[in-house]
Amino acid sequence: MKAKVLWVLLIFFGLWSSPAAADNRFIVRAPSGLTFLQQVLQQVCSVLVSCNVVGGLDGTLNKVFLVTTPDFLDPNAFLQILRSQPGIAHVEPDALLRVMQATAAAPPSGLWDNTPVNYFGATVIHGYVSQPAIGIIRLPDSQTTFNVSGTGTVAVIDTGVDPSHPVLQSVLVPGYGFTRNSYGSASELTDVNQSSIGSGASPAKVNQSSAAILDPQSVFNFNQPQYQAFGHGTMVSGIIHLVAPTALIMPLKAFNADGTGYLSDVLSAIYFAVQNGANVINMSFSFSTYSVELAKALKYATRHRVICVASAGNDGEDEVIYPAALADVMGVASTTNNDTLSSFSNYGEDLVWVAAPGEGIITTYPFGTFGAGWGTSFSAPFVSGAAALFLGVRAKCNESCAESSLANAFWISPDLGNGRIDLYQAVDAASEGRD
C-alpha cells in the first residue's frame, strides 16, 4: 500500500523528468543516524528507482549524509517527498560551487626578485619575504616584538596543495582529498598531466587571477579552462605560511583544478578539520546561496574553538555571500597597496569584518616554484595566518578573541568593516586579552 501511495505522489509531483548529466545529489540530516535513513529511503524508493546513501558528511556525529537519486527523477519533487518523512530534519540540494577569481594584472616585480634567502628554515625567493603586503600589515614588527611565528594548525579548504613544495612540506600535516576520497592525499599535482616545470622559467600570467614563474609550455598548459584554479590551494597555503611560518597546515581538497567543488565536500572538510585538531579554517571561496547545513557546520566549528575565515568574493559588489556573511565567520575583503578597496572586491558592513592586501600577492606555487595572486582568496589567508599568531600569545584564542583582536585595524571605511588588518595592533590586543 505504501508503495502505491508513493508512486501516486511521484506522478503527482512530476518526479519523472528529462535526463540530466549526473545523479541528483542531496544533503540530508537524519538525527537518528545511517540505519534510520536507509530505512526511510527503502520506503521512499523502490527497486525501480534506487536512492543511495553515498556516505556521511559529519564524521563521528553520524547525522548528515549525502544521498543520490537517478538523474531522470525531478530533484524538486524528491526534495518535497523526503522532507515530508518523519525523522528527516533537513534536506537541501548538494550545490556545485566554484572558486571565484579576480582579474590579474602584470606580474609584480617581486617575482623577478629571485635571490634565495632563508625563511624559518626554508629557502625562498627574496620577493616572497620583501613584498609590499608584509610591510603594510606590519608582519616583521609583529613577529619580532611579540616573538610569534605561528602556533596550532590551519586547515585550508581548497584545491589541495603541492605536498612536495620545499617551502611547505615541513609544515604540512595529513589532510584529506574529498574529491577522490583519499585520506592523507590532498595533492593538486595529480590534477594535471605533467610532473614538473621545464627549463627557461620566467614570470608570466597563468590564468585569470594568477601569475607564476613557469616555462612557456607550462604556462600554455595551465591556461586551459580545465586548470583555471590549479595552484589555488598551494598559493593560499603559502600566504598562511608567510604570516605564520611555524604554524601547521592541513590541506583539505574539496575543489577540482577547474575551480568546481560540491558543498557536500566542503561540509565534510569542515567536520574533518574540527575533529582532527585544526585551530583555524581558511575558506577562500564564496557562493551566493545560504545553506542551512553550512551554517550548522561552521557553528559546530566555533563551538569547538575553531577560528573561521572566508574570502568576501570578487564581484565588486555590496552583496551578501557565503560563508563570509555567516555570524561565525570573519569575511575578508581585498585592498590595494595604497589602502583603498580593490576594484574587484566585494564590500559592505554585513559581509566584511576586516580587509587585507589582495593584489599581486607573492606566494608558493605548485612544482616548487612561486607565483602571485589577485583576489579576496589571497586576502583571507593573511587573516588565517594572523589567527595562528594569536594562538602564540593567547593559547585559548577563539573566534570571538580573533574578531576582537583584528578589530584593532587601520580604519578605511565602514564598507570594509573594522579596516585593513594591522598585525602589530592585533597581536598586541590578543596578548593583553583586550577587545
Side-chain angles (χ1 to χ4, degrees), residues 16-40:
W16 299 96
S17 66
S18 58
D23 286 350
N24 299 317
R25 299 163 61 101
F26 304 91
I27 297 166
V28 181
R29 177 171 288 270
S32 296
L34 175 60
T35 301
F36 170 81
L37 176 58
Q38 290 173 329
Q39 291 172 348
V40 170

Side-chain angles (χ1 to χ4, degrees), residues 60 84 87 111 130 134 139 145 157 207 225 230 253 268 279 298-299 302 344 387 409 414 420 428 430:
T60 58
S84 69
L111 280 185
S130 64
I134 69 169
L139 174 61
T145 301
I157 302 176
N207 55 38
F230 175 69
K253 181 174 172 56
S268 293
N279 306 99
L298 290 169
K299 186 174 290 293
T302 54
F344 54 75
R420 189 261 301 145
D428 185 38

Side-chain angles (χ1 to χ4, degrees), residues 24 58 90 97 179 222 308 313 380:
N24 299 317
D58 57 351
H90 179 73
L97 314 179
T179 61
F222 298 155
C308 300

Side-chain angles (χ1 to χ4, degrees), residues 340-356:
T340 58
L341 175 70
S342 296
S343 60
F344 54 75
S345 178
N346 288 344
Y347 54 91
E349 56 186 348
D350 293 329
L351 175 67
V352 177
W353 185 256
V354 288

